[in-house]
Amino acid sequence: MSSLLYRWGGVAYRGKWWLVGVWALAIAAIVSVIVVNPPQLSNEIRIDGTPAQQVIDDLATQLPEASGGQGILAFHTTDGERIDEGQNLTALLDAVGRVYDADHVIDARTVMADALAKGPASPLSAASAAVAQAQAAQGQPGTAGPTPLTVNGLPVPGVLVSSDGQTALFQFAFDAQTFELPQGTVDATISAARTAFADEQVEVLPSATMLQIPELIGVGEVVGVLIAGLVLVVTLGSLVAAGLPLISALSGVAVGVGGAFAFSSIVPMHSLTAVLGLMLGLAVGIDYTLFIVNRQRRLILDDRMTAPEAAARAVGTAGSAVFFAGSTVIIALLALMVVQIHLLTTMAITAAATVFIAVAAALTLLPALLGFVGERVCSASARRRASTASVRGSSHRVAKLWSRTLVRHRFVAAVGALVIAGVLAAPALDMDLGLPSGASYHPDTPQRQSFDVTAAAFGEGYNGPLVVVATSDDGQAIDPHQIAALSTDLAGLDGVTAVSLAGLNDAGTTAVLSVVPDSAPTAAATADLVTRLRDLAPTYADAHHVEVGVTGFAALAIDVSQRLGAVLPVYLAVVIGLSLVVLLLVFRSIIVPIKATVGFALSVAATFGATTAVFQWGWLQPLLGMDATAPVLSLLPIIITGVLYGLAMDYEVFLVSSMKEAHAHGRRGTESVVQGFSVASRVVVAAAVIMVSVFAGFIFNAEPMISQVGFALAFGILVDAFLVRMTLVPAVMAIFGDAAWWLPRWLDRLLPDLDIEGDKLTARLATP
């Protein structure tokens, strides 16, 4: 491998013009496609095969108007006046009309008018009357609670008014799931409602169930890249050398993420997919090119090689490590496909493709760029400093001091690292999984403001009503009195605030009931209510001759968490198995793969613990500019496990391969640990700081899902690089000494020699 890459490095260095031209053409082609077909991203989370999703899919054929995306708008007066009187009422009716007239919004006024035209004998009218009678008999709705908005004795479809009259809640439906709507539909709908209140002191606040596409590149992300650039300047010693990794990484991101955007008009793509690709593309793209540029500069400064020869050798040696490090990331990401969830499969393929392109950029575009820079990759001052440091023997002084301290106190360091990781991981025992609701957003966002206003005026449950679907068990129209009886049973359950008939198909065979819980969408009490409703489904079937299904935000969140929780052990087994096999091939050792995998497990556990403490418990949120507690994103554990494994193995490969190189060159016992650590630690630290900076930039994204992923990756890299790889790994390697490289002879004969350290290449080049 190293010999092949060495030859390729020379070709790429000399053929700089045509290689850069190929990359420029690829970027131009992708930009052209995106201009013609703008990206189609969504924030919809669809998990096929779950009960909640199955109910939605069944509704798509039985009652399409109840199966599309749900919209909720809160109208709240800021001057204390009533929303249902005077000019406010006029503006409210105008807003409702504008929304119902908007494209892709189902006009409930037409549905009501059709029911009135058909008279009391229509299935919807009969069912509505029966439910109203049952509620009246029970004393519902209460006089102190919200009431439907009525004008001239007729209700305004979908609108409730709070008991104090200052807030109105407008619920409506789109004709398709949110991710299937044309781009800009949701924004246009909200804008239409706000236009009606332009001259009134009324806030128009969209709910979090109308999730917006997040800002992919914001201030935080830009700051993260700038910090990464500063680290590159400090590490590589010049603006010219520091600019190369940035150019290569940004080119890789342009092709990788841009390619994903180009395909998003064909394959439905979640916005988190694009963000994850952007995160990884920037982070690994900068890191991988840093490793190669740093190796080239060391060969020039320390071994007095020419720039062309140093570039070829850097691609042959550090490039081999980049290739296998990137391979571990790609393998870990593609392993997400075993979960068999479309969302994760799309995410895995996109992220893996982006990492593959980042590796390709490091091995093709970077040596071409080095060809343009030539000898200027090392400034004259850097050459003078290198000569002085060599004479004085002061190179790697800090790294040698730290590694010798770890070697001397190896058992204390190992135990200390384990204890710290255990403490950080402890909060994970209380980790709750779920999906973000309005409460997950920052108080300054419309989603959070809508959540708070709705909770204060109506109750927390109105932010995420449950949807109960009753379908006839014999294909005949459901008796209206059975619908009313089911409504009464549901209203009598503990934890239920209100029940209303939300829809009935023309044949009268499928009824949709809206069940408002007492608690918030992400509360444990709401999850318990969903479970209780599903447990009672057989009872309702016997009593009312209907099949009952439950969906809605809380139900979907429960199903997603259970589905992902069930497959996580399988995924972990696959990742750990691949980890052991890949590292066995790379390092030809039994101890090293086991130690690396245990260290990875510690990093993941500590990451889950810290994420739980910050986002679920609210610890240290003011320091991060946050003020919103929420469950840990259901997708987070499995995404972070895959991504963090691949990135952690990057540092393992670069750090331990340096120790192996020192051992292969005659260093024995702990000296190979000290020597290898001293050579590789500086660039690994720089790479870790770069990754943390890039990922941390996403913590300040307004979208809670992206914020959690950014924090988890940044913290995970921080722990893995500095606690595990920089502390635990040298300590454990020192404990085992030469035994760390032991491999049974029979296995040694079976395994291929990948030579990622480039020993065979060095020997071949040294032969006259």
Side-chain angles (χ1 to χ4, degrees):
M1 174 61 74
S2 58
S3 297
L4 176 63
L5 289 177
Y6 167 76
R7 290 193 295 271
W8 166 252
V11 171
Y13 190 95
R14 294 187 298 273
K16 51 184 179 292
W17 284 106
W18 67 266
L19 267 174
V20 170
V22 168
W23 277 90
L25 286 174
I27 294 173
I30 290 172
V31 171
S32 300
V33 172
I34 293 175
V35 170
V36 175
N37 294 304
Q40 299 287 331
L41 301 179
S42 81
N43 271 0
E44 197 82 13
I45 294 182
R46 175 188 176 92
I47 306 294
D48 293 320
T50 58
Q53 189 64 54
Q54 187 61 51
V55 171
I56 294 174
D57 293 342
D58 290 342
L59 277 178
T61 57
Q62 298 166 357
L63 191 60
E65 58 266 30
S67 66
Q70 301 299 306
I72 299 178
L73 290 174
F75 305 96
H76 179 67
T77 60
T78 58
D79 55 5
E81 295 184 354
R82 291 188 66 91
I83 192 74
D84 56 353
E85 293 179 351
Q87 293 299 319
N88 286 340
L89 175 60
T90 302
L92 176 60
L93 295 176
D94 185 20
V96 171
R98 288 172 182 266
V99 171
Y100 277 140
D101 291 338
D103 293 338
H104 302 286
V105 174
I106 295 176
D107 192 345
R109 299 170 303 180
T110 303
V111 176
M112 185 179 73
D114 290 343
L116 292 174
K118 294 177 182 178
S122 71
L124 180 59
S125 296
S128 298
V131 171
Q133 290 175 358
Q135 290 179 339
Q138 288 187 315
Q140 295 180 341
T143 55
T147 57
L149 176 66
T150 58
V151 177
N152 298 325
L154 294 176
V156 178
V159 182
L160 290 175
V161 178
S162 62
S163 57
D164 63 6
Q166 296 181 24
T167 307
L169 195 66
F170 178 31
Q171 298 173 308
F172 57 95
F174 293 101
D175 59 9
Q177 292 295 305
T178 307
F179 69 91
E180 297 171 334
L181 295 171
Q183 189 173 13
T185 299
V186 174
D187 289 331
T189 304
I190 296 172
S191 177
R194 286 177 172 157
T195 300
F197 283 97
D199 299 324
E200 306 297 332
Q201 295 185 21
V202 175
E203 293 178 312
V204 182
L205 304 170
S207 166
T209 58
M210 299 174 67
L211 291 170
Q212 301 296 292
I213 302 303
E215 183 182 55
L216 297 184
I217 301 295
V219 175
E221 291 83 352
V222 172
V223 171
V225 174
L226 291 177
I227 293 174
L230 179 62
V231 174
L232 287 172
V233 172
V234 172
T235 303
L236 299 178
S238 73
L239 289 173
V240 173
L244 299 179
L246 286 175
I247 294 173
S248 179
L250 291 174
S251 299
V253 165
V255 174
V257 178
F261 283 160
F263 279 102
S264 66
S265 59
I266 303 173
V267 180
M269 185 172 296
H270 194 279
S271 59
L272 189 59
T273 301
V275 173
L276 184 61
L278 181 62
M279 286 183 186
L280 290 178
L282 283 173
V284 303
I286 294 174
D287 275 7
Y288 291 165
T289 49
L290 167 63
F291 290 131
I292 295 175
V293 173
N294 182 73
R295 177 62 65 91
Q296 188 214 21
R297 294 182 79 254
R298 294 322 322 161
L299 290 171
I300 293 174
L301 297 175
D302 297 342
D303 297 340
R304 303 297 188 267
M305 291 185 184
T306 63
E309 177 63 16
R313 291 208 188 192
V315 173
T317 53
S320 295
V322 164
F323 178 84
F324 287 105
S327 298
T328 61
V329 180
I330 293 170
I331 290 172
L333 289 169
L334 292 181
L336 286 169
M337 297 172 65
V338 304
V339 179
Q340 295 185 342
I341 293 176
H342 177 75
L343 171 63
L344 287 176
T345 298
T346 305
M347 194 176 296
I349 293 175
T350 302
T354 303
V355 173
F356 174 81
I357 293 170
V359 173
L363 297 180
T364 60
L365 179 60
L366 178 63
L369 294 175
L370 290 173
F372 282 104
V373 173
E375 299 291 344
R376 289 175 296 161
V377 72
C378 294
S379 64
S381 60
R383 296 173 191 268
R384 288 193 299 270
R385 288 195 302 269
S387 177
T388 303
S390 177
V391 171
R392 297 178 180 176
S394 60
S395 60
H396 313 304
R397 178 181 297 174
V398 175
K400 285 184 177 179
L401 177 62
W402 175 248
S403 59
R404 292 192 185 280
T405 301
L406 290 176
V407 166
R408 188 162 50 250
H409 305 288
R410 64 196 76 170
F411 290 100
V412 174
V415 173
L418 291 173
V419 170
I420 294 173
V423 171
L424 292 173
L429 298 174
D430 188 46
M431 183 169 61
D432 292 329
L433 299 178
L435 298 178
S437 68
S440 309
Y441 287 78
H442 192 276
D444 293 338
T445 61
Q447 293 92 337
R448 174 65 177 275
Q449 293 169 354
S450 174
F451 184 94
D452 291 342
V453 166
T454 301
F458 299 94
E460 291 183 324
Y462 279 90
N463 281 297
L466 300 177
V467 177
V468 174
V469 179
T471 305
S472 172
D473 59 3
D474 58 5
Q476 302 299 313
I478 306 172
D479 188 326
H481 296 291
Q482 294 291 358
I483 297 176
L486 175 61
S487 171
T488 300
D489 289 345
L490 294 174
L493 292 175
D494 291 337
V496 173
T497 292
V499 178
S500 61
L501 179 63
L504 185 70
N505 65 349
D506 293 337
T509 57
T510 299
V512 178
L513 296 166
S514 176
V515 177
V516 180
D518 290 340
S519 48
T522 58
T526 305
D528 293 340
L529 178 59
V530 172
T531 302
R532 199 178 320 129
L533 287 170
R534 288 174 171 171
D535 291 341
L536 288 171
T539 302
Y540 295 149
D542 293 338
H544 308 299
H545 308 290
V546 292
E547 296 178 0
V548 174
V550 183
T551 188
F553 179 88
L556 182 62
I558 292 172
D559 293 345
V560 169
S561 299
Q562 290 179 345
R563 175 74 178 274
L564 294 174
V567 299
L568 184 58
V570 177
Y571 179 68
L572 283 173
V574 171
V575 168
I576 290 174
L578 289 172
S579 171
L580 294 173
V581 171
V582 170
L583 293 177
L584 177 65
L585 289 171
V586 171
F587 293 115
R588 305 177 68 82
S589 161
I590 299 295
I591 298 297
V592 171
I594 295 175
K595 175 264 305 172
T597 304
V598 171
F600 155 71
L602 290 174
S603 299
V604 168
T607 300
F608 291 167
T611 304
T612 300
V614 171
F615 288 90
Q616 186 176 313
W617 293 357
W619 288 11
L620 302 179
Q621 284 199 357
L623 296 178
L624 298 175
M626 301 178 185
D627 185 18
T629 56
V632 174
L633 177 66
S634 298
L635 300 169
L636 189 99
I638 202 162
I639 293 174
I640 296 304
T641 298
V643 174
L644 193 57
Y645 161 74
L647 299 180
M649 292 307 104
D650 283 358
Y651 302 134
E652 182 74 15
V653 168
F654 286 106
L655 186 62
V656 179
S657 63
S658 182
M659 296 179 185
K660 183 182 179 184
E661 183 177 359
H663 183 267
H665 292 169
R667 304 275 182 162
R668 289 294 177 261
T670 58
E671 278 304 307
S672 64
V673 176
V674 173
Q675 177 63 21
F677 185 92
S678 301
V679 171
S681 60
R682 184 170 183 265
V683 70
V684 170
V685 167
V689 172
I690 288 171
M691 277 202 179
V692 170
S693 301
V694 171
F695 292 144
F698 289 86
I699 295 176
F700 305 97
N701 195 290
E703 173 56 51
M705 291 188 292
I706 295 173
S707 179
Q708 283 197 20
V709 172
F711 173 84
L713 287 176
F715 188 87
I717 293 299
L718 195 66
V719 169
D720 189 84
F722 293 98
L723 183 64
V724 174
R725 309 302 157 189
M726 290 288 153
T727 305
L728 181 63
V729 166
V732 173
M733 293 295 288
I735 290 173
F736 283 96
D738 290 336
W741 306 111
W742 174 79
L743 186 70
R745 290 184 179 179
W746 63 270
L747 187 57
D748 182 63
R749 291 192 297 269
L750 291 176
L751 295 179
D753 189 355
L754 301 179
D755 187 33
I756 66 169
E757 300 85 13
D759 287 338
K760 291 183 178 179
L761 171 63
T762 302
R764 183 174 67 82
L765 294 176
T767 303

